[in-house]
Amino acid sequence: MKKMKDLSYHYGLKMRIYPSTQQKQLIKLNSDIARTVYNKLIAIDQELYQLNRVKLPLDVVTNRIDELKKRKNPKNLSNHFKYMDNKLLDRQVISTAKQTYQNAWNMYKKVHTAGIPKFHKKGYVEKYQTSAHYGKKAEMNVFDATGVKFLDMQHIQLPKLGSDTPFVAKKRTTDSQVGVDLNTENFLTSSNGAQIANPRYYRTIKGKLAKAQRKLSRRQLRAKKDGRNLRNAKNYQKQRLVVAKLQARVRRQRNNFLHKVSTALINNHDLVVAENLRGKNMLKNHALAMSISDVGWRTFLQMMEYKANLYGRTFITVDPKNTTQICSDCGFIMGKDGSSKLTLADRKWTCPNCHKHHIRDWNAAKNILAKGLAKIA
Ligand SMILES: [Zn+2]
């Protein structure tokens, strides 16, 4: 097998992590220090620039220049600013921040429009860089790195943050099992008869978003007509931001809703069963597909899966075949023996075999749970 060092390039992986509260604090600390280092280096260089302009041979000046030059070394930096000498810091953080600063200068030398490095403001997003190290003998394998490495397909280990699971305690068993039917009239119906309505946020914001998007395309057309580059079309750019912000708001609210629902289900039940969406035949029905992308079922199922994993619960999906059409009491399948199949319009029905009265989605949720139980039995 090829070794890592034999490769002409290394490619990156983008992945989402779910840090615990402690890990979030560590990320913040590291990001704060990375930003501070970057800014200190700018300050040092600015002072050096001013001092170098003093042409008189003054001892005070030459001593200060020597001192500042020494301080730029990452090691001396943390000696001087004691808070940078913190055991909770990733060892790479200070040297990586210095590297970033150097890269900013290199970029300036290549492309002058990039500007000289500027102070980094404290932002909304916490970020810092660290790097994986591969030993000389390391093979071409992401599990082989030190510092940053994958423990398995679901866990990544980062310096100081450790791996993602140990901070999460297993939940107490609840002796409760539930099936959930995802449908379009409400968000979901559970096998114990509870309904969760579709979130309203989308309907309220939808009008606003559509209006903003119309305005955006009008401005795009106008710029095109005048032969202006969109980059320089100020009003277009302003409106683009307005649309992006509205879209971000919808996304945030939707995720918030999905997190709340999935966490509640995982908290309250040992076993949760849902339908897999593959069998749902959604894409054939455009209206249905639209509302599915609105309510975010796919994201919801993903959340259920990783949360179940995290808290030691069981989450499984079953084939949705006939879950709507079967009577959960006697097992009669609608569409057989001269009966007609239920349609989306039939919200309530009575079983022709045992005469039990059903609410469609509730009945479906019961069938889903039964299928799940049969699957793990
Ligand atoms: Zn029946």
Side-chain angles (χ1 to χ4, degrees):
M1 201 182 227
K2 271 195 175 181
K3 304 276 185 265
M4 285 305 280
K5 66 179 175 57
D6 301 330
L7 301 176
S8 50
Y9 60 88
H10 296 176
Y11 63 88
L13 286 175
K14 187 175 178 180
M15 64 184 297
R16 181 163 194 182
I17 56 169
Y18 297 91
S20 68
T21 312
Q22 288 101 316
Q23 288 171 327
K24 280 180 194 162
Q25 284 163 356
L26 285 173
I27 291 172
K28 184 173 182 325
L29 177 72
N30 278 284
S31 131
D32 283 346
I33 294 294
R35 191 182 58 247
T36 313
V37 169
Y38 190 93
N39 288 344
K40 291 281 181 216
L41 289 171
I42 292 183
I44 290 173
D45 276 344
Q46 280 180 354
E47 195 181 338
L48 279 174
Y49 175 75
Q50 295 297 339
L51 290 174
N52 281 324
R53 287 169 58 165
V54 181
K55 298 295 178 205
L56 302 168
L58 296 171
D59 277 358
V60 202
V61 174
T62 45
N63 286 348
R64 179 70 180 162
I65 289 179
D66 286 347
E67 190 195 330
L68 287 175
K69 276 186 175 165
K70 261 186 217 155
R71 197 181 296 167
K72 278 171 73 176
N73 180 324
K75 199 150 189 228
N76 297 335
L77 207 60
S78 61
N79 280 339
H80 187 79
F81 301 104
K82 284 296 168 203
Y83 59 87
M84 290 183 190
D85 191 11
N86 188 333
K87 284 207 170 63
L88 295 173
L89 284 181
D90 180 342
R91 265 187 303 168
Q92 301 290 321
V93 153
I94 293 178
S95 53
T96 313
K98 192 176 179 200
Q99 190 60 51
T100 316
Y101 176 68
Q102 196 51 53
N103 291 346
W105 272 113
N106 294 345
M107 181 55 87
Y108 171 70
K109 280 168 199 156
K110 267 192 225 157
V111 196
H112 265 54
T113 48
I116 60 167
K118 293 186 189 70
F119 283 112
H120 280 169
K121 274 189 200 161
K122 191 171 181 179
Y124 172 71
V125 182
E126 307 285 351
K127 55 180 178 183
Y128 73 93
Q129 267 184 345
T130 186
S131 46
H133 286 271
Y134 292 91
K136 278 192 183 140
K137 287 179 184 163
E139 295 198 327
M140 199 177 73
N141 184 343
V142 283
F143 297 102
D144 235 12
T146 56
V148 182
K149 73 173 171 187
F150 288 86
L151 300 178
D152 56 39
M153 296 308 278
Q154 268 151 8
H155 299 103
I156 186 170
Q157 181 172 310
L158 296 169
K160 295 299 165 193
L161 298 185
S163 66
D164 217 346
T165 34
F167 292 104
V168 178
K170 276 202 170 181
K171 299 257 177 199
R172 249 187 232 165
T173 53
T174 57
D175 285 326
S176 173
Q177 300 156 332
V178 75
V180 292
D181 175 59
L182 303 175
N183 53 72
T184 42
E185 278 125 50
N186 47 62
F187 179 73
L188 67 79
T189 305
S190 75
S191 53
N192 40 35
Q195 273 192 357
I196 296 172
N198 269 325
R200 285 164 168 274
Y201 58 81
Y202 197 67
R203 226 165 305 150
T204 44
I205 213 169
K206 212 172 184 174
K208 260 190 203 171
L209 185 61
K211 202 172 155 189
Q213 274 166 335
R214 277 199 301 275
K215 200 167 171 181
L216 182 68
S217 58
R218 250 194 336 265
R219 289 187 174 173
Q220 185 179 9
L221 276 178
R222 199 176 304 155
K224 213 174 172 186
K225 230 177 178 177
D226 302 348
R228 278 175 297 154
N229 188 334
L230 278 186
R231 267 174 200 282
N232 307 324
K234 263 193 185 160
N235 286 329
Y236 168 82
Q237 289 298 343
K238 249 190 244 168
Q239 188 62 18
R240 195 180 55 82
L241 267 185
V242 171
V243 171
K245 274 182 185 164
L246 280 173
Q247 281 168 337
R249 203 156 97 201
V250 172
R251 206 162 43 234
R252 221 166 35 236
Q253 284 173 330
R254 172 164 50 205
N255 275 343
N256 219 339
F257 168 78
L258 297 176
H259 270 303
K260 274 184 189 153
V261 176
S262 54
T263 303
L265 280 169
I266 289 295
N267 267 335
N268 297 325
H269 307 282
D270 297 337
L271 168 73
V272 184
V273 189
E275 293 166 307
N276 63 50
L277 295 180
R278 252 168 301 144
K280 269 219 150 189
N281 247 347
M282 321 169 295
L283 293 175
K284 281 185 192 163
N285 182 334
H286 183 64
L288 202 59
M290 279 299 288
S291 58
I292 285 160
S293 62
D294 284 1
V295 294
W297 285 348
R298 203 167 293 281
T299 317
F300 174 73
L301 294 185
Q302 279 165 0
M303 285 180 179
M304 289 299 292
E305 200 168 323
Y306 87 78
K307 284 182 188 178
N309 243 326
L310 214 55
Y311 296 105
R313 302 290 207 213
T314 310
F315 171 70
I316 51 174
T317 55
V318 294
D319 183 359
K321 188 169 185 246
N322 277 343
T323 47
T324 313
Q325 308 291 338
I326 295 177
C327 167
S328 58
D329 266 48
C330 71
F332 181 79
I333 302 175
M334 293 298 282
K336 291 199 170 158
D337 297 333
S339 60
S340 52
K341 276 198 162 192
L342 300 170
T343 67
L344 265 181
D346 301 317
R347 306 195 59 180
K348 291 172 182 172
W349 58 286
T350 306
C351 173
N353 185 42
C354 71
H355 305 293
K356 165 90 183 175
H357 189 64
H358 287 300
I359 295 172
R360 187 193 60 219
D361 302 334
W362 187 0
N363 178 63
K366 286 182 188 170
N367 286 329
I368 291 167
L369 176 59
K371 269 196 171 182
L373 287 171
K375 199 173 174 182
I376 56 170

